[in-house]
Amino acid sequence: MELESRNTLITAVGECRIPSPVSRRAQGTNSISFVSDSDRILIDVNVNRACRGLAEGPEPPSYELAGPRKHIFFDPSKLKCALVMCGGLCPGLNDLIRSIVLELHYGYGVRNIFGVRYGLRGFIARYGYDFMELTPNAVVNIHERAARLLGPAAAPRTSTKSWTP
């Protein structure tokens, strides 16, 4: 598929009316740089092709820039978030889980954060895997562990009991 034909627009779920809770940190030592929905990243980062594309016509294909917004759609005090890891081994997954949990908890004020054990299979009730509550205390030192916190995506077939790290 050619880059020019890719539809990279993200559909909004609704108007974002709730001021972002992360803006409270902007008053402290850790300032926050909010991004706009109109901020974009070029798909093709080759300078020659990008410049040629800009000179030749329409806006080059791009993705929406990730990052905190000034206003958000979902109320963090009412959210339930779930983290699920799918795929093979990936060094740093525990670090990623820890970072997401800490940012959701301290940055956004989300108090209901869960880990889904054994990949997408963890969502299927017949396998009997419980969700794992993820709190700052639960993830404080997981970056020092060698094993994945939520278990491998391919769950063990010999048991339907929950995996405990």
Side-chain angles (χ1 to χ4, degrees), residues 35-61:
V35 297
S36 163
D37 289 345
S38 63
D39 290 336
R40 310 286 297 174
I41 298 294
L42 293 174
I43 292 175
D44 186 352
V45 295
N46 178 286
V47 173
N48 293 331
R49 288 191 300 259
C51 290
R52 188 171 48 243
L54 286 171
E56 291 175 357
E59 186 175 300

Side-chain angles (χ1 to χ4, degrees), residues 63-74:
Y63 296 116
E64 185 175 317
L65 181 64
R69 305 306 203 251
K70 284 186 181 179
H71 291 88
I72 58 178
F73 181 77
F74 294 103

Side-chain angles (χ1 to χ4, degrees), residues 28-154:
T29 57
N30 295 329
S31 65
I32 299 295
S33 295
F34 291 107
V35 297
S36 163
D37 289 345
S38 63
D39 290 336
R40 310 286 297 174
I41 298 294
L42 293 174
I43 292 175
D44 186 352
V45 295
N46 178 286
V47 173
N48 293 331
R49 288 191 300 259
C51 290
R52 188 171 48 243
L54 286 171
E56 291 175 357
E59 186 175 300
S62 59
Y63 296 116
E64 185 175 317
L65 181 64
R69 305 306 203 251
K70 284 186 181 179
H71 291 88
I72 58 178
F73 181 77
F74 294 103
D75 181 349
S77 68
K78 298 176 183 173
L79 281 181
K80 289 187 178 182
C81 296
L83 301 178
V84 58
M85 303 295 163
C86 302
L89 293 175
C90 180
L93 278 180
N94 281 348
D95 296 334
L96 183 62
I97 292 168
R98 179 178 182 267
S99 295
I100 291 170
V101 169
L102 294 178
E103 185 62 29
L104 284 171
H105 184 89
Y106 293 115
Y108 286 89
V110 176
R111 295 300 183 256
N112 296 300
I113 309 166
F114 301 95
V116 180
R117 292 182 166 123
Y118 302 118
L120 294 175
R121 193 178 219 188
F123 284 113
I124 302 170
R126 70 180 165 144
Y127 292 109
Y129 302 123
D130 294 328
F131 287 179
M132 175 182 199
E133 187 174 1
L134 297 175
T135 63
N137 284 340
V139 299
V140 69
N141 291 320
I142 67 168
H143 60 291
E144 297 173 356
R145 296 185 203 166
R148 284 196 6 213
L149 179 70
L150 300 177

